[in-house]
Amino acid sequence: MAIKEIPTEECYMPGSAACPGCPATMALRIVFKAIGKKMMMIVPACCTAVIESMHPNTSFNIPTMNIAFEAAAAGASGVEAGLRKQGKDDITVVAWAGDGGTYDIGIQALSGALERNTNFIYICYNNQIYSNTGIQRSGATPYAAWTTTTVGGKTEYRKEMGEIIQAHHIPYAAQACISYPEDLYKKIRKAKQMKGPKYIEIMAPCPPGWRFGMERTVEMGTLSVETGAWALYEFENDEIKFNGISKLLLEEKIKPKPIEDWIKLQGRFRHLFIPKKDVKKLQEIQDHTNQIWERYRKCYL
Amino acid sequence: MKKYKVKTTISYPKKGATGKTGNWRVFRPILDKEKCVKCLRCWIFCPEATVIRNKDNSIDIDYDYCKGCGICANVCKIKAITMKRESMDK
Ligand SMILES: Cc1ncc(C[n+]2csc(CCOP(=O)(O)OP(=O)(O)O)c2C)c(N)n1
Ligand code: SF4
Ligand code: SF4
Ligand code: SF4
């Protein structure tokens, strides 16, 4: 698929409250293009609720409902039931939440909705932090990353949300990244055609949160995939298929770039390089990444 | 536009809901139409939807709202977009 095949119509209206270089609006544009106007979006507390901009205006030309931080999937379940009762079966219900609202506080509502077989798409844009409230750690924050609540670096590894989702054996789940818009578009289109619960997670590098220059958002996403810090895959009928660069990495057809190539560009890892390079910790991170891929190979090859 | 009479807070879609965000800009993307090969990378990656895609896949930039992030210039493989500092005398 070529970029020019992605529809021109925009439901994201310029002039929002998003930071310059925001990965969330980048991804939202693709989601709106892939699903079209016949959708209803549920947004919990997160950056996106701010990006929508202030009453009486909104930057989203899509019916959107804001709801409490923990309640994205619960809200979506209600909206889906309401639409079903009215016989409106041509409207795609989309819950759109951050990693805090997904990995942490929203996980029980999400798990419940998946278990109840709710017909909706849950999309998590994963910027690996609580960015809206000023960069606190989440369950998605990687090991050693600085946040305002992990000064000196996070001491735990991030959780594998993808595998928690897979344990629900839903019809479709996928991991994507803002740097691969055609791939993201295809995954959303596919989810839209299917019945039942669908989950898509999008890697979303955040310039102020990760401390990199706002012109480098796309680059930072590409590197997350090329170094193996993030994997692109689809999970369908209980079968997992890696795709794009991640497939080549899984099959060892190419070598991953050193994880250092990705983290050295992010100010949140600065303490690993200044005043002195922390070779031991960098090796630890590399070893952990290698271990994850070894496990992927054992399970999915 | 259809307005709804229900007792809850409703916002309506508007371009520039946070104002003319073009005045956030420090650097301005300048497009060289001669160089551009219409690959649309800048269009798909612009976080603000301010790279406008025309019918013939040529592009223009909406300076009223472009926040000057520089992503368009960064993703353009042939460097048809360059970032220039906004002049003080505007
Ligand atoms: C119950 C509750 N606790 C805390 C908050 C404050 N709060 C609003 S948004 C947010 C963080 C959201 O983080 P995430 O879901 O990762 O989205 P992001 O801001 O990164 O886009 C927090 C803690 C809240 N609104 N409700
Ligand atoms: S903090 Fe990050 S995710 Fe939030 S609006 Fe800014 S760039 Fe986007
Ligand atoms: S500088 Fe940023 S906001 Fe402006 S047109 Fe380029 S990508 Fe879009
Ligand atoms: S990325 Fe460069 S070549 Fe491609 S459409 Fe934009 S300006 Fe033209």
Side-chain angles (χ1 to χ4, degrees), chain A residues 117-138:
Chain A
N117 223 17
T118 305
N119 183 25
F120 79 134
I121 309 177
Y122 189 102
I123 305 179
C124 167
Y125 65 104
N126 177 2
N127 57 17
Q128 302 193 318
I129 36 162
Y130 292 38
S131 55
N132 178 35
T133 37
I135 319 170
Q136 291 82 31
R137 93 192 264 295
S138 81

Side-chain angles (χ1 to χ4, degrees), chain A residues 24-92:
Chain A
T25 55
M26 218 183 255
L28 273 169
R29 286 184 61 217
I30 309 285
V31 171
F32 292 168
K33 285 172 188 297
I35 299 180
K37 276 200 160 171
K38 289 222 155 191
M39 75 183 263
M40 168 88 204
M41 192 164 69
I42 292 84
V43 178
C46 61
C47 272
T48 306
V50 176
I51 294 168
E52 286 166 22
S53 305
M54 262 187 299
H55 179 75
N57 305 320
T58 166
S59 299
F60 299 171
N61 198 2
I62 290 281
T64 303
M65 181 176 88
N66 288 111
I67 200 161
F69 193 17
E70 59 275 44
S77 300
V79 169
E80 191 272 336
L83 290 170
R84 183 156 31 89
K85 202 77 189 153
Q86 295 175 56
K88 295 181 179 164
D89 54 6
D90 58 341
I91 297 170
T92 307

Side-chain angles (χ1 to χ4, degrees), chain A residues 252-284:
Chain A
E252 294 183 277
K253 294 213 167 102
I254 57 168
K255 263 187 168 336
K257 289 188 175 165
I259 196 84
E260 197 181 321
D261 287 8
W262 180 58
I263 66 183
K264 74 180 175 206
L265 301 172
Q266 304 169 37
R268 62 176 175 164
F269 292 109
R270 206 168 82 110
H271 54 280
L272 299 181
F273 299 92
I274 290 168
K276 207 167 112 274
K277 193 163 164 179
D278 192 339
V279 181
K280 194 167 149 259
K281 213 160 222 167
L282 284 167
Q283 191 56 47
E284 237 178 89

Side-chain angles (χ1 to χ4, degrees), chain B residues 29 42 45-48 50-51 61 66-73 83:
Chain B
C42 55
F45 285 118
C46 171
E48 207 47 39
T50 45
V51 173
I61 293 163
C66 157
K67 292 171 179 170
C69 67
I71 285 177
C72 51
M83 301 302 289

